[in-house]
Amino acid sequence: MKRCPSVVDVARRRFLTGAGYATAGTLAAGLVSGTSNAAPAPARIEYPSRRLASVRDLKVNEALLVSYPDREAPGVLIKLGTPVAGGIGPESDIVGFSTLCPHQGVPLMYRAADHTLNCPGHYSRFDCDASGQQIWGHATQNLPQYALRIDEAGDIFAEGIDELLYGRLSNVL
């Protein structure tokens, strides 16, 4: 079988040209990032402390709609009725979560029968008894859970989040 030398030569030139562009792009990116004077990201993000509700507002196994860290970040507080890791309150059973699915931001729905938050979009499921751990579906991270505290008056405050909120590059306000 005889090969056409001009076809081989054209393919070789295209390959070498592409490799040259890739190398130049990599070097340029290194120079740009090497001259940046940006400060490194903080190790811990500081969140505003924000009152979400009162313990008196909660009913066992019913989701109470809230938002944190701002009005554009919907979430829930749930009094599960049984103590759980990370739960607060007299029975250690109050938890809070973002209600935007980490997969594509579809609003989640609480299912009281098994204490899960469920996505109607692609069927991801998150276990509220296990700190929002994903138990099924397309999501690639667990559900963002609120760091909560209760003051002496019974008011519930959120003071942080343990995962990245959907649609944000960082949880910085």
Side-chain angles (χ1 to χ4, degrees), residues 19-111:
Y21 285 134
T23 302
T26 302
L27 290 173
L31 290 174
V32 169
S33 67
T35 60
S36 173
N37 291 327
R44 182 174 179 272
I45 297 171
E46 294 296 324
Y47 291 91
S49 180
R50 183 157 163 231
R51 182 186 180 281
L52 300 180
S54 171
V55 172
R56 293 178 297 280
D57 299 333
L58 299 177
K59 294 184 175 84
V60 175
N61 219 11
E62 288 184 20
L64 177 69
L65 299 179
V66 296
S67 60
Y68 184 77
D70 52 44
R71 300 277 177 220
E72 288 77 39
V76 291
L77 288 177
I78 307 166
K79 182 172 177 56
L80 297 169
T82 56
V84 293
I88 64 164
E91 289 86 35
S92 299
D93 64 343
I94 299 171
V95 292
F97 298 97
S98 168
T99 54
L100 292 179
C101 182
H103 177 234
Q104 289 188 336
V106 175
L108 301 173
M109 297 180 295
Y110 181 63
R111 183 169 183 249

